[in-house]
Amino acid sequence: MARSRLEERRRLNNVPEIPTSSMADIAFLLIIFFMLTAVFTSRQGLRFGYPDQDPTNVQPEESVLIKIEGEGQYAVNNQVMGLAQLGGYIQTVLDTNPGKPFIIRPKPDVPYSEMVEVFDLLRQMGVENVSIPTQSEVDAWKAYGYFE
């Protein structure tokens, strides 16, 4: 009888458990595995070259200035027109001078998508020289009276 009580006590004290001693090692190996096998994607946006510090690389008097006044409102060399008219104007400029530079000057409150539409239109029409001036370039050109 004494033996059965002892066996019964051992059986009650012996609680089944899951061994977790190597769980941290397994988690670490899984983290390393997923880091090495994950596909890192990078989103491609518009490709722009960094501007030079010298604002003389594209001269405003030699180029076509496209001001984006608002959604669907454009002024090309101070002539107000829509996007469809802009395409025709660009084509006539390219027919006379295929290497003519274009400057895109959006107002600060205009949605970014408007600038992208103009940029896409210029690229579709084969314009190679597109400039979006930095604020320092605009300030330098204002000193010469090119921008208001």
Side-chain angles (χ1 to χ4, degrees):
M1 252 205 177
R3 197 166 216 212
S4 64
R5 280 186 183 175
L6 184 61
E7 287 177 5
E8 189 175 329
R9 213 185 275 160
R10 282 185 187 164
R11 198 169 22 130
L12 290 176
N13 287 339
N14 211 1
V15 179
E17 64 181 62
I18 299 173
T20 59
S21 60
S22 65
M23 193 67 79
D25 295 334
I26 293 171
F28 182 69
L29 290 174
L30 284 173
I31 289 172
I32 291 174
F33 172 77
F34 287 120
M35 284 176 54
L36 292 176
T37 59
V39 176
F40 296 104
T41 61
S42 62
R43 301 183 116 204
Q44 291 289 333
L46 297 175
R47 294 183 185 217
F48 292 109
Y50 290 111
D52 296 334
Q53 292 298 326
D54 183 21
T56 59
N57 57 357
V58 175
Q59 294 299 325
E61 71 272 4
E62 301 169 354
S63 61
V64 176
L65 175 62
I66 302 173
K67 291 182 188 176
I68 304 174
E69 304 289 335
E71 291 189 40
Q73 301 172 348
Y74 310 101
V76 182
N77 292 339
N78 295 324
Q79 296 177 2
V80 178
M81 59 182 68
L83 193 62
Q85 296 167 328
L86 180 63
Y89 184 83
I90 291 169
Q91 189 60 49
T92 59
V93 168
L94 290 177
D95 289 342
T96 59
N97 186 358
K100 187 113 173 144
F102 286 79
I103 299 174
I104 300 174
R105 178 83 173 117
K107 283 192 172 180
D109 58 339
V110 173
Y112 185 72
S113 61
E114 290 295 317
M115 186 190 73
V116 173
E117 281 185 24
V118 173
F119 189 78
D120 286 343
L121 178 66
L122 290 170
R123 287 296 179 188
Q124 288 171 2
M125 298 192 78
V127 176
E128 294 293 324
N129 194 353
V130 179
S131 176
I132 301 172
T134 61
Q135 189 60 44
S136 62
E137 288 176 321
V138 170
D139 292 340
W141 288 340
K142 279 183 183 179
Y144 295 111
Y146 295 121
F147 288 133
E148 301 85 44

